[in-house]
Amino acid sequence: MYTNLKHFINGEWVESTGNETEDVINPATEESIGQISLGTKEDLDKAVQAAKAALPTFSRTSREERIEMLEKIAKGYEKRKDELVQVMTDELGAPLKFSEEVHYEMGLAHFKKTAEALKDYKFEEDYGNYKIIKETIGVSGLITPWNFPTNQTSTKIASAIAAGSPMVLKPAELTPFAAMILAEIIDEAGVPKGAFNLVNGTGSTIGDGISSHPDIDFVSFTGSAGVGEKIMQNAAKTIKKVALELGGKSPLIVLDDADIEEAAKIAVSHISLNSGQVCTAATRIIIPESMKKDFGEAMKKAVPSFPVGDPLDKNVVTGPLVAKKQWDRVQSYIEKGIDEGATLLTGGTGKPDGLEKGYYVKPTIFTDVSNDMVIAQEEIFGPVTTVITYKDLDEALEIANDTVYGLAGYVVGEDQETLDYVAKNIRAGQIVVNDAEQDRSAPFGGFKQSGIGREWGAFGIEEYLEPKSVFGVKVPAKA
Ligand code: NDP
């Protein structure tokens, strides 16, 4: 059991001032794996005051000290690899292999890549008769979701440390334990007391408290567009800066010279990895009309390459959804797709055969989808995808961009000029050509309603800084 009823405030684990607790459920077994305390506004305020008190010293730590902290955290993270991999399997339902190769790896990469970016980050620059100094924004509030428990916490924490910004983290209630291990690692790495605080609790109490707290200067949030909107509204009352990484309904354009089997496999991987609970997942597969029959067959054939089942089984690729609430939500979208008249190529409502316990969903593919259907416009966040056909490339791009979102875009094909043209004309924060590997130092974030701001690497650090223009001082900018 992972039970820990304390919050991490001002360098120590402290009792909650409230007495409400919550069970954390393993979505594969539907059983409790431990409890957390649901923090109160008083707990949050203690954490914010600790961060505020740490601001004058933490914001003046040197580049070298911050690099050392990040490197020590990375080492501590590596030492606790087995625990981190296991906890993300237990609280999220991530298959062990995916937990190790993706969840664990992403969390680690952020500490390492941010330390690297910090080495040459220019905090001061001369511009002739003035200089610009980039200073810590102040106290940061970090609100994270459950779908990538160490990726999303680590990128925010690493950037805040690099910028010298003391922080208060509220992890998702559904997946708090990976973040609590991270808190122990951060403590052991010698991050000064008050610079990192963690308060568990609900979005409506602690999340809302962070976005409205007068002593928090910046909120970095990842999660749903609806909550992002609430955070902006709340933050407006104290004119706080917000960075929002929200949802997506990303297109994957298959060009007419693409290898059909290869493209179909990529399309199915998007709804299989992390059970489709990925904000950048391609869930609108846009194919040439001429490919319709062959592509459908190739997708059906690809589905068994991503076996669904017990996350503890090393051969399993797709585990359960994180919670009953998400399972119900995904089921209702599958029903909606059927009602809207899309063709159910494979999958459908209910649980896969032999998986009655656990929040498992059948990998579901809809064809004959038009881009104005609800299933083509709303983020489903499960193993459900839609296939839409196009007549020519202009139409493919029109469909790709016909969404309120703009987080990611994908294209598969051969001709480099066309790939480049498509990459430039999809309006989204990251474009992946032919399933290319992604570097964790490249800026990550969205256009349109997919959010505001960027995370990862140097762009991530930038979010936690304020530029200050200085006129008249003759001391040259520091390197
Ligand atoms: P939420 O947006 O509700 O949760 C994300 C985080 O925000 C959690 O820590 C949550 O707390 C917190 N939160 C909730 N309400 C507030 C609030 N009023 N103020 C501040 N913080 C708040 O996502 P859900 O878990 O409800 O998932 C619903 C849908 O959101 C998914 O189906 C998916 O479409 C989308 N989503 C997108 C993600 C992405 O990566 N962009 C990640 C997760 C979800 P808590 O849950 O602990 O109460």
Side-chain angles (χ1 to χ4, degrees):
M1 291 292 258
Y2 294 99
T3 299
N4 178 351
L5 298 178
K6 295 183 174 175
H7 310 292
F8 188 75
I9 299 175
N10 205 22
E12 51 190 348
W13 290 97
V14 298
E15 303 284 347
S16 188
T17 58
N19 46 23
E20 236 188 300
T21 60
E22 187 164 85
D23 278 301
V24 177
I25 306 297
N26 177 332
T29 62
E30 301 183 32
E31 279 161 19
S32 172
I33 54 165
Q35 290 188 321
I36 53 164
S37 285
L38 296 180
T40 62
K41 287 259 162 87
E42 204 180 328
D43 295 322
L44 173 65
D45 194 52
K46 279 190 193 167
V48 176
Q49 295 318 319
K52 194 180 169 189
L55 180 63
T57 47
F58 193 56
S59 62
R60 289 195 194 101
T61 47
S62 67
R63 179 197 305 270
E64 291 68 32
E65 285 171 302
R66 295 177 201 168
I67 291 171
E68 195 185 333
M69 283 179 224
L70 292 171
E71 289 178 346
K72 278 194 177 155
I73 294 172
K75 284 212 177 80
Y77 187 98
E78 281 172 315
K79 271 200 204 136
R80 298 189 67 175
K81 178 175 179 178
D82 293 348
E83 267 175 275
L84 286 162
V85 169
Q86 187 65 48
V87 76
M88 287 187 273
T89 294
D90 294 342
E91 64 184 10
L92 172 64
L96 274 177
K97 193 166 154 29
F98 192 76
S99 191
E100 177 177 348
E101 291 175 4
V102 179
H103 287 291
Y104 168 81
E105 178 278 326
M106 287 185 90
L108 179 62
H110 291 310
F111 291 111
K112 290 189 168 176
K113 294 279 185 180
T114 306
E116 264 173 48
L118 184 55
K119 285 180 187 157
D120 343 287
Y121 192 83
K122 287 197 168 55
F123 286 97
E124 290 193 18
E125 279 182 280
D126 280 318
Y127 284 83
N129 63 343
Y130 70 98
K131 65 177 167 183
I132 295 176
I133 303 176
K134 290 181 183 164
E135 285 187 4
T136 304
I137 195 163
V139 172
S140 298
L142 318 178
I143 305 173
T144 53
W146 41 264
N147 61 331
F148 280 86
T150 55
N151 164 45
Q152 283 144 342
T153 45
S154 299
T155 183
K156 293 182 196 317
I157 294 166
S159 300
I161 291 177
S165 169
M167 68 202 93
V168 178
L169 166 70
K170 187 209 95 64
E173 276 161 83
L174 294 173
T175 58
F177 294 127
M180 292 173 96
I181 294 177
L182 212 46
E184 290 171 5
I185 295 169
I186 292 166
D187 185 27
E188 281 158 24
V191 172
K193 71 177 190 154
F196 173 83
N197 305 276
L198 180 155
V199 180
N200 275 317
T202 63
S204 53
T205 303
I206 306 301
D208 177 88
I210 286 176
S211 57
S212 54
H213 203 293
D215 291 325
I216 290 185
D217 303 284
F218 169 56
V219 179
S220 176
F221 167 75
T222 303
S224 61
V227 171
E229 188 184 325
K230 278 191 198 154
I231 287 174
M232 266 183 104
Q233 280 172 357
N234 248 354
K237 292 176 202 149
T238 48
I239 320 292
K240 264 187 226 344
K241 178 181 163 183
V242 293
L244 306 172
E245 198 273 275
L246 309 173
K249 193 73 191 178
S250 299
L252 186 164
I253 297 183
V254 179
L255 301 181
D256 56 11
D257 60 0
D259 177 324
I260 293 183
E261 304 263 316
E262 195 52 40
K265 202 162 177 190
I266 294 172
V268 175
S269 76
H270 275 264
I271 53 159
S272 302
L273 302 178
N274 222 35
S275 309
Q277 302 167 120
V278 182
C279 50
T280 52
T283 48
R284 289 182 301 136
I285 313 303
I286 305 172
I287 62 164
E289 257 177 14
S290 59
M291 256 185 210
K292 196 181 150 191
K293 187 165 165 287
D294 293 346
F295 201 86
E297 274 165 21
M299 274 184 105
K300 256 172 118 167
K301 207 171 121 196
V303 170
S305 332
F306 301 90
V308 183
D310 183 353
L312 294 173
D313 178 341
K314 288 217 163 171
N315 297 316
V316 158
V317 176
T318 306
L321 295 191
V322 68
K324 172 80 165 56
K325 179 183 103 170
Q326 288 302 116
W327 191 87
D328 289 340
R329 196 183 134 101
V330 171
Q331 295 299 309
S332 71
Y333 274 114
I334 298 174
E335 280 162 18
K336 183 80 195 165
I338 296 167
D339 292 349
E340 282 181 307
T343 303
L344 190 60
L345 183 72
T346 184
T349 53
K351 293 193 177 176
D353 289 345
L355 291 169
E356 288 316 314
K357 197 161 204 188
Y359 308 124
Y360 295 96
V361 173
K362 295 176 193 162
T364 298
I365 301 170
F366 283 108
T367 57
D368 299 310
V369 174
S370 69
N371 199 47
D372 57 358
M373 289 181 180
V374 169
I375 54 163
Q377 287 296 319
E378 294 185 11
E379 187 176 49
I380 299 177
F381 236 54
V384 181
T385 198
T386 61
V387 182
I388 305 169
T389 57
Y390 69 83
K391 288 191 186 64
D392 56 33
L393 198 54
D394 285 343
E395 193 189 17
L397 284 166
E398 201 180 300
I399 295 168
N401 289 325
D402 182 14
T403 162
V404 295
Y405 293 115
L407 191 56
Y410 303 83
V411 54
V412 180
E414 286 295 322
D415 182 65
Q416 285 298 321
E417 296 289 322
T418 315
L419 291 169
D420 190 51
Y421 178 78
V422 170
K424 284 182 180 147
N425 284 284
I426 296 179
R427 297 202 64 228
Q430 43 273 312
I431 307 294
V432 182
V433 176
N434 288 335
D435 215 19
E437 200 184 329
Q438 292 165 58
D439 191 304
R440 312 287 184 219
S441 59
F444 179 82
F447 286 26
K448 302 195 274 182
Q449 291 184 28
S450 286
I452 300 173
R454 292 293 179 271
E455 302 198 280
W456 303 10
F459 278 83
I461 301 173
E462 192 97 17
E463 290 292 342
Y464 295 73
L465 297 169
E466 288 278 24
K468 177 194 274 181
S469 309
V470 179
F471 303 91
V473 171
K474 304 284 183 240
V475 180
K478 279 198 276 179

Coordinates of all heavy atoms in Angstrom, one line a residue, residues 285 292-293 296-297 299-300 333-349 363-370 373 375-376 384-389:
I285 N -8.1 10.3 -38.5 CA -7.2 9.7 -39.5 C -7.7 10.1 -40.9 O -8.8 9.7 -41.2 CB -7.1 8.2 -39.3 CG1 -6.9 7.8 -37.9 CG2 -6.0 7.6 -40.2 CD1 -5.7 8.4 -37.2
K292 N -9.8 3.9 -49.0 CA -10.8 3.6 -48.0 C -10.8 2.1 -47.6 O -10.7 1.8 -46.4 CB -12.2 4.1 -48.4 CG -13.1 4.2 -47.3 CD -14.5 4.6 -47.7 CE -15.5 4.0 -46.8 NZ -16.8 4.1 -47.2
K293 N -11.0 1.3 -48.6 CA -11.2 -0.2 -48.3 C -9.9 -0.8 -47.7 O -9.9 -1.4 -46.7 CB -11.6 -0.9 -49.6 CG -12.0 -2.3 -49.4 CD -12.8 -2.8 -50.6 CE -12.8 -4.4 -50.6 NZ -11.5 -5.0 -50.8
G296 N -9.0 0.5 -44.2 CA -9.8 -0.1 -43.1 C -9.3 -1.5 -42.8 O -9.2 -1.9 -41.6
E297 N -9.1 -2.3 -43.8 CA -8.6 -3.7 -43.6 C -7.3 -3.7 -42.9 O -7.0 -4.5 -41.9 CB -8.5 -4.4 -44.9 CG -9.8 -5.0 -45.3 CD -9.8 -5.5 -46.8 OE1 -8.8 -5.7 -47.4 OE2 -11.0 -5.6 -47.3
M299 N -6.1 -1.4 -40.9 CA -6.3 -1.0 -39.5 C -6.8 -2.1 -38.6 O -6.3 -2.4 -37.5 CB -7.2 0.2 -39.4 CG -6.6 1.5 -39.5 SD -7.7 2.9 -39.3 CE -7.3 3.5 -37.7
K300 N -7.7 -2.9 -39.2 CA -8.3 -4.0 -38.4 C -7.2 -5.0 -38.2 O -7.1 -5.6 -37.1 CB -9.4 -4.7 -39.3 CG -10.8 -4.4 -38.8 CD -11.8 -4.9 -39.8 CE -12.7 -5.9 -39.2 NZ -13.8 -6.1 -40.1
Y333 N -19.2 8.3 -25.8 CA -18.8 8.7 -27.1 C -18.9 7.6 -28.1 O -19.2 7.9 -29.3 CB -17.3 9.2 -27.0 CG -17.2 10.6 -26.6 CD1 -16.6 11.0 -25.4 CD2 -17.6 11.7 -27.4 CE1 -16.4 12.3 -25.0 CE2 -17.5 13.0 -27.0 CZ -16.9 13.3 -25.8 OH -16.8 14.6 -25.4
I334 N -18.7 6.4 -27.7 CA -18.8 5.3 -28.7 C -20.3 5.2 -29.1 O -20.7 5.1 -30.3 CB -18.3 3.9 -28.1 CG1 -16.8 4.0 -27.8 CG2 -18.6 2.8 -29.1 CD1 -16.2 2.8 -27.1
E335 N -21.2 5.3 -28.1 CA -22.7 5.3 -28.4 C -23.0 6.5 -29.3 O -23.8 6.3 -30.3 CB -23.5 5.4 -27.1 CG -23.6 4.1 -26.4 CD -24.0 4.3 -24.9 OE1 -24.5 5.4 -24.6 OE2 -23.8 3.4 -24.1
K336 N -22.4 7.6 -29.0 CA -22.7 8.8 -29.9 C -22.3 8.6 -31.3 O -23.0 8.9 -32.2 CB -21.9 10.0 -29.3 CG -22.1 11.3 -29.9 CD -23.4 11.9 -29.4 CE -23.8 13.0 -30.3 NZ -25.2 13.5 -30.1
G337 N -21.1 8.0 -31.5 CA -20.6 7.7 -32.9 C -21.6 6.8 -33.6 O -21.9 7.0 -34.8
I338 N -22.1 5.8 -32.9 CA -23.0 4.9 -33.6 C -24.3 5.6 -33.9 O -24.8 5.6 -35.0 CB -23.3 3.7 -32.6 CG1 -22.0 2.8 -32.4 CG2 -24.5 2.8 -33.2 CD1 -22.1 1.8 -31.3
D339 N -24.8 6.4 -33.0 CA -26.0 7.2 -33.2 C -25.8 8.2 -34.3 O -26.8 8.5 -35.1 CB -26.4 8.0 -31.9 CG -26.9 7.1 -30.8 OD1 -27.1 5.9 -31.1 OD2 -26.9 7.6 -29.7
E340 N -24.6 8.8 -34.5 CA -24.4 9.8 -35.5 C -24.3 9.2 -36.9 O -24.2 9.9 -37.9 CB -23.0 10.5 -35.2 CG -23.1 11.6 -34.1 CD -21.8 12.3 -33.9 OE1 -20.8 11.6 -33.7 OE2 -21.8 13.5 -34.0
G341 N -24.3 7.8 -37.0 CA -24.3 7.2 -38.3 C -22.9 6.8 -38.8 O -22.8 6.4 -40.0
A342 N -21.9 6.9 -38.0 CA -20.5 6.4 -38.4 C -20.6 4.9 -38.5 O -21.4 4.3 -37.8 CB -19.5 6.9 -37.5
T343 N -19.7 4.3 -39.3 CA -19.6 2.8 -39.3 C -18.6 2.3 -38.3 O -17.5 2.8 -38.3 CB -19.1 2.4 -40.8 OG1 -20.0 3.0 -41.7 CG2 -19.1 0.9 -40.9
L344 N -19.1 1.4 -37.5 CA -18.2 0.8 -36.5 C -17.4 -0.3 -37.2 O -17.9 -1.4 -37.4 CB -19.1 0.2 -35.4 CG -18.4 -0.2 -34.1 CD1 -17.6 0.9 -33.4 CD2 -19.4 -0.8 -33.1
L345 N -16.1 0.0 -37.4 CA -15.3 -1.0 -38.2 C -14.9 -2.1 -37.2 O -14.8 -3.3 -37.6 CB -14.0 -0.3 -38.7 CG -13.1 -1.1 -39.5 CD1 -13.7 -1.4 -40.9 CD2 -11.7 -0.4 -39.7
T346 N -14.5 -1.7 -36.0 CA -14.2 -2.7 -35.0 C -14.3 -2.1 -33.6 O -14.4 -0.9 -33.5 CB -12.7 -3.2 -35.2 OG1 -12.5 -4.3 -34.2 CG2 -11.7 -2.2 -35.0
G347 N -14.5 -3.0 -32.6 CA -14.7 -2.5 -31.2 C -16.1 -2.2 -30.9 O -17.0 -3.0 -31.3
G348 N -16.4 -1.2 -30.1 CA -17.8 -0.9 -29.7 C -17.9 -0.8 -28.2 O -16.9 -0.7 -27.5
T349 N -19.2 -0.7 -27.8 CA -19.4 -0.5 -26.3 C -19.1 -1.8 -25.6 O -19.0 -2.9 -26.1 CB -20.8 0.0 -26.1 OG1 -21.7 -1.0 -26.7 CG2 -21.1 1.3 -26.6
P363 N -10.6 -1.5 -28.3 CA -10.1 -0.5 -29.3 C -11.2 -0.4 -30.4 O -11.7 -1.4 -30.9 CB -8.9 -1.2 -29.8 CG -8.5 -2.2 -28.8 CD -9.8 -2.6 -28.1
T364 N -11.6 0.9 -30.6 CA -12.7 1.1 -31.5 C -12.4 2.1 -32.6 O -11.8 3.1 -32.4 CB -13.9 1.8 -30.6 OG1 -14.2 0.8 -29.6 CG2 -15.1 2.1 -31.4
I365 N -12.7 1.6 -33.8 CA -12.4 2.4 -35.0 C -13.7 2.7 -35.8 O -14.5 1.8 -36.1 CB -11.5 1.6 -36.0 CG1 -10.2 1.3 -35.2 CG2 -11.2 2.5 -37.2 CD1 -9.2 0.3 -36.0
F366 N -14.0 4.0 -36.0 CA -15.1 4.4 -36.8 C -14.7 4.8 -38.1 O -13.7 5.6 -38.3 CB -15.8 5.6 -36.1 CG -16.7 5.3 -34.9 CD1 -16.3 5.6 -33.6 CD2 -17.9 4.6 -35.1 CE1 -17.1 5.3 -32.5 CE2 -18.7 4.3 -34.0 CZ -18.3 4.6 -32.7
T367 N -15.3 4.4 -39.2 CA -15.1 4.9 -40.5 C -16.4 5.6 -41.0 O -17.3 5.7 -40.2 CB -14.8 3.7 -41.5 OG1 -15.8 2.8 -41.5 CG2 -13.5 3.0 -41.2
D368 N -16.3 6.1 -42.2 CA -17.5 6.9 -42.8 C -17.8 8.0 -41.8 O -19.0 8.3 -41.6 CB -18.7 6.0 -43.0 CG -18.4 4.9 -44.0 OD1 -17.9 5.3 -45.1 OD2 -18.7 3.8 -43.7
V369 N -16.7 8.6 -41.3 CA -16.9 9.8 -40.3 C -16.9 11.1 -41.1 O -16.0 11.2 -42.0 CB -15.8 9.7 -39.3 CG1 -15.9 10.9 -38.4 CG2 -15.9 8.4 -38.5
S370 N -17.7 12.0 -40.8 CA -17.6 13.3 -41.4 C -17.0 14.2 -40.2 O -17.4 14.0 -39.1 CB -18.8 13.8 -42.0 OG -19.8 14.1 -41.0
M373 N -19.0 15.6 -37.2 CA -19.6 14.7 -36.1 C -18.9 15.0 -34.8 O -17.8 15.4 -34.7 CB -19.4 13.2 -36.5 CG -20.2 12.7 -37.6 SD -19.9 11.0 -37.9 CE -21.0 10.7 -39.3
I375 N -17.9 12.9 -32.6 CA -16.7 12.0 -32.4 C -15.5 12.5 -33.1 O -14.4 12.1 -32.8 CB -17.0 10.5 -32.7 CG1 -17.6 10.4 -34.2 CG2 -17.9 9.9 -31.7 CD1 -17.5 9.0 -34.7
A376 N -15.7 13.4 -34.1 CA -14.5 13.9 -34.8 C -14.1 15.3 -34.3 O -13.1 15.8 -34.7 CB -14.9 14.1 -36.3
V384 N -10.3 5.2 -29.0 CA -11.3 5.3 -30.0 C -10.8 6.3 -31.1 O -10.3 7.4 -30.8 CB -12.6 6.0 -29.4 CG1 -13.7 6.1 -30.4 CG2 -13.1 5.1 -28.2
T385 N -10.9 5.9 -32.4 CA -10.5 6.8 -33.4 C -11.5 6.9 -34.6 O -12.4 6.1 -34.6 CB -9.1 6.3 -34.0 OG1 -8.5 7.4 -34.7 CG2 -9.2 5.1 -34.9
T386 N -11.3 7.9 -35.4 CA -12.2 8.2 -36.5 C -11.4 8.2 -37.8 O -10.3 8.8 -37.9 CB -12.9 9.5 -36.3 OG1 -11.9 10.6 -36.3 CG2 -13.7 9.5 -35.0
V387 N -12.0 7.7 -38.9 CA -11.3 7.7 -40.2 C -12.2 8.6 -41.1 O -13.4 8.3 -41.3 CB -11.1 6.3 -40.8 CG1 -10.4 6.4 -42.1 CG2 -10.4 5.4 -39.8
I388 N -11.6 9.6 -41.7 CA -12.3 10.5 -42.6 C -11.6 10.5 -44.0 O -10.3 10.5 -44.0 CB -12.2 12.0 -42.0 CG1 -12.7 11.9 -40.5 CG2 -12.9 13.0 -42.8 CD1 -12.4 13.2 -39.7
T389 N -12.3 10.6 -45.0 CA -11.6 10.6 -46.4 C -11.5 12.0 -47.0 O -12.3 12.9 -46.7 CB -12.4 9.7 -47.3 OG1 -13.7 10.1 -47.5 CG2 -12.4 8.2 -46.9

